[in-house]
Amino acid sequence: MGKEKIILTGDRPTGRLHIGHYVGSLKRRVDLQNSGDFSKMFVFIADAQALTDNIDNPEKVRQNVIEVALDYLACGLDPAKATIFIQSQIPELCELSFYFMDLVTVSRLQRNPTVKTEIQMRNFETSIPVGFFTYPISQAADITAFRATTVPVGEDQEPMIEQAREIVRRFNYIYGETLVEPEILLPDNACLRLPGTDGKAKMSKSLGNCIYLSESADEIQKKVMSMFTDPDHLRVQDPGKIEGNTVFTYLDAFCRPEHFERYLPDYPNLNELKAHYQRGGLGDVKVKRFLNAIMQETLEPIRNRRKEFEKDIPAIYEMLKQGCEVARAAAADTLADVRRSMKINYFDDADLIAEQVKKFSTPEK
Ligand code: TRP
C-alpha cells in the first residue's frame, strides 16, 4: 500500500446544488483540488445511492446527473485535476459491496445514526428498502475501491466514514492488509450548515428556501430581500438579534473584509455591523442589500461559467465518460487485490492448482 494521499467524495443527484453545498463542501473541494497535497482526487455523482430512496422517481435522478456535473464544473472542479464520474458505471463497486455485506451485521446497520435519522425523515417505517438500509456498506465500497485516504464530507456523514473504517479493519484482519482505512475531513469553517432562506435548519427544494448556484441575479435578490431575520425587530430603532438571524448567518459564511470597502464603507467589519444591529438603529433592508451585493458577487462568476458549460452538453457527457473509464481502471485494480486477498482468484493461483493436483494424486488407501 502506497503512502499517497487520495481524496474521494460525492453527491447524490437529486437536485441542482445550492449555496449550502457550496459553503459546506464544494468550495473546499476546489481548494483541495488546487492545493497540490493530493496525488489523486475522485469526485462522483452517486446515482445508484440516490436510487436507494428514489426508486419511484428514477427520472429525477437521471435528469440531475448532468445538473450536478455542471455545478461541479461551474464551481471550479477541473477534469484535468480531478476524476469526475458516475457511480453506477463502476460495476466493481457492486462486487465489493457484496463482499462487504458479510462483514457487517444487521444490528450494526440499525445502530448507524445517519441511517436511523434518514429512515425517520423518510417515513419508511417498516417498508425500508434493503438497498437503502445497506447503503453504508455500498458507501464503504465507494471509498475503498479508490483507496481513498481522505473523505471531505459534512459532519452528518461521520457515521458513514466510521462504518467504512470498521469494514476495512475487519477485512484486513480476516484477509490480510489490503484496503486503506479512510479518514474524514470535516469542513473547517465555523458555519457547518447554512439554514434555508426562511430560517429553517435545512435547505430543501420542496420548501423553496434554497438559493441555487445556477440561480438568476433577480431570483437571488428576491430570495435575499425576503429572508428570515429577527421577527421581533419591527422598527429600525429597535434592538435586533443576531442569533438565528439568517441574514447574519449568511454574512458569517460569505462576507470578507473587502466587501465592506466595496459595498458598506461606513462599517469597518462584520462585528461592528452586528453591534449596531444589536443596539438598534440599523434596518434589515440595509443589511439585506449588503448581503445581496455579496451574494451577487460570489455567484455571478459561477453562474457565468455554468452557462458556458451548458453550451456544449455532449462534451460534459464525454468528460463524464472519460472519468468513468479512469475510475473503473482504478477500482478494477483494487478489486484484483481484494480477490487475491480473499483467495478467490482461482485461475491466477498456481499454488492452489498445485495443491489440488497433489490432493487428488495421493493414492487412496
Ligand atoms: N452519502 C453522501 C451524501 O449523501 C454521498 C456519497 C455517496 C458519498 N458515496 C460517498 C460521500 C462516498 C463521500 C464518499 O452526501
Side-chain angles (χ1 to χ4, degrees), residues 8-12 21 29 44-46 49 87 114 118 122 135 138-140 142-143 151-154 156-157 160-161:
L8 174 131
T9 187
D11 299 279
R12 296 181 191 179
H21 296 111
R29 280 185 210 173
F44 74 102
I45 301 172
Q49 188 178 105
Q87 184 187 28
T114 309
E118 289 185 339
R122 285 164 180 74
Y135 95 76
S138 105
Q139 186 155 334
D142 298 339
I143 296 169
V151 186
V153 282
D156 62 308
Q157 293 292 306
M160 295 294 152
I161 312 302

Side-chain angles (χ1 to χ4, degrees), residues 271-324:
N271 283 338
E272 294 293 321
L273 189 73
K274 286 180 179 172
H276 191 183
Y277 191 83
Q278 285 170 312
R279 342 187 247 284
L282 175 57
D284 282 355
V285 170
K286 187 163 178 179
V287 190
K288 284 178 172 176
R289 286 212 178 107
F290 178 50
L291 176 63
N292 179 54
I294 296 172
M295 297 309 298
Q296 298 291 352
E297 179 187 307
T298 310
L299 295 178
E300 189 190 48
I302 297 176
R303 184 172 62 240
N304 289 344
R305 266 199 305 271
R306 199 187 204 271
K307 288 232 175 70
E308 282 304 306
F309 287 115
E310 286 170 5
K311 286 181 186 158
D312 193 355
I313 293 296
I316 312 297
Y317 281 107
E318 186 55 36
M319 177 281 289
L320 289 169
K321 185 175 169 207
Q322 284 173 19
C324 288

